[in-house]
Amino acid sequence: MPLGRHLMKTLLLACLVIAALFALGCTSAPAVPAEPTPSLAPEVVNFEVLDLNAEDFGDMPAPTATPEPTPTPIPFSYYAPTVNMTYEELVGSTDDMSVKARELLKDGFPDPKTYYIIVDKQWQVVLVYLRIDDGTKLGKPDLTQPVRYMLCSTGNPNKEYGHETTSGIWQIGVPKERFYQFVNLEAAQYLTLIHSRTYFHSVLYDKAKDLRSLVKESYDNLGTKASHACIRLTVPDARWMWYNIGYGTTCEIRDGDPSDTVTGTIRAQLKLPPSIEGIKLTAGTAPWTDNWQIEDVLHVLPYKYQAAPLPDLGDGEEDTPPPIDTSTVPTVTDTPAPVTDTPPPADTPSGGW
């Protein structure tokens, strides 16, 4: 028995020693402290300070000035868009030929003090400017602000039933017609009454609302005296007048001067394409390349209806023009010139009426 107890104690002691050794092996080794990283000394940078008051500062080059922007010149076609139009557009029509004027114009017109119209019979042009409201009834044109240039035909007294378009300063009347049949069985688009029985209107047709009946000579003779007394225009120009010129707008019809090279330079550039024999026109198919839209017209003056008097047929029945206030009438040399070419005076038409 003593021997057995001794063995038991020996085994127990051995187990304790083994357990102690095992526990000692599972513990982590102590961390080794890291060596400190040596810090770098800051680098000293020397800057040379420029003394703006030093004597040698005056040798530095002066800064380059920003150049003024060069304005883009306005092309002549901006004021005369018809020079870039096709023959079809100049004599055709939109698809509203049968719509009444009271429906198309129901929203009214711009203020009658917006524009000032000049018709020059010598050069056969219509010039529209912004108007200067100088406190007078008729105002005067702002010759630095052109709006539209148009080729036209005024009255030719050498034609049957024709006579000279009366000169004077007028206020545009109320009557307007979309497609009007004259008593002599010819017709025109976009009638705007100037005074008495003298109108702005388009080239002629043998029958209202029938584009196939176009009178080609009335287009060919634009730029010459060829009408009974009215002012003939291309269809786009007559349409512009119809929508943009309200009753009460000042319209000056002047004789003009053959030595007025300023207005002549405008006339020289109003060149339209030649007519096309036998062209087949259909309402609504002609392009619209004009520089304005009907929906953009300002509506200040309300629409009014008044029956259109018969156009002047050369019977001599004319209103006496109102006295001209010479203080408001520009001299012909005041017309601004966009170009330098000088054309010959307008010729007498070779055909048409």
Side-chain angles (χ1 to χ4, degrees), residues 133-339:
D133 187 4
D134 60 352
T136 64
K137 179 180 179 181
L138 300 174
K140 61 182 181 180
D142 184 348
L143 299 177
T144 66
Q145 295 290 327
V147 177
R148 196 170 179 104
Y149 299 146
M150 314 178 199
L151 194 63
C152 73
S153 286
T154 61
N156 180 8
N158 298 322
K159 289 293 180 180
E160 185 179 9
Y161 305 118
H163 71 279
E164 189 76 32
T165 302
T166 304
S167 296
I169 300 182
W170 320 89
Q171 288 182 294
I172 295 294
V174 172
K176 286 180 181 277
E177 295 289 342
R178 173 62 182 87
F179 215 136
Y180 190 84
Q181 188 80 47
F182 303 140
V183 293
N184 63 353
L185 300 182
E186 289 181 317
Q189 300 188 58
Y190 298 113
L191 271 70
T192 296
L193 183 66
I194 302 172
H195 71 97
S196 182
R197 297 184 296 159
T198 300
Y199 292 84
F200 287 113
H201 63 68
S202 75
V203 293
L204 300 176
Y205 306 82
D206 284 329
K207 184 179 179 181
K209 305 174 187 178
D210 184 359
L211 299 179
R212 296 171 300 177
S213 67
L214 170 70
V215 179
K216 187 173 73 69
E217 291 78 8
S218 66
Y219 174 85
D220 293 335
N221 289 330
L222 287 173
T224 65
K225 293 184 177 183
S227 76
H228 286 125
C230 292
I231 314 297
R232 290 184 197 162
L233 304 166
T234 65
V235 172
D237 283 338
R239 180 169 52 227
W240 187 92
M241 284 283 192
W242 204 66
Y243 279 101
N244 288 276
I245 300 301
Y247 52 90
T249 301
T250 301
C251 178
E252 174 191 344
I253 302 177
R254 69 188 186 193
D255 293 338
D257 185 345
S259 64
D260 175 15
T261 58
V262 179
T263 304
T265 58
I266 296 174
R267 170 65 180 85
Q269 296 177 94
L270 283 168
K271 298 178 181 179
L272 304 181
S275 59
I276 300 174
E277 189 71 42
I279 187 172
K280 298 185 183 301
L281 300 171
T282 303
T285 62
W288 181 304
T289 64
D290 216 329
N291 57 10
W292 69 285
Q293 297 294 324
I294 295 173
E295 55 268 24
D296 295 334
V297 175
L298 295 178
H299 301 131
V300 176
L301 189 68
Y303 171 75
K304 292 197 303 185
Y305 172 77
Q306 190 176 100
L310 295 177
D312 193 342
L313 298 179
D315 56 12
E317 295 183 11
E318 276 287 337
D319 286 345
T320 301
I324 298 176
D325 181 359
T326 56
S327 65
T328 65
V329 180
T331 61
V332 292
T333 54
D334 287 335
T335 307
V339 292

Side-chain angles (χ1 to χ4, degrees), residues 111-131:
D111 190 312
K113 294 182 179 180
T114 303
Y115 302 112
Y116 190 106
I117 306 167
I118 297 176
V119 179
D120 191 295
K121 294 189 294 182
Q122 171 63 40
W123 295 101
Q124 294 294 294
V125 294
V126 178
L127 313 172
V128 181
Y129 298 94
L130 292 181
R131 170 178 156 165

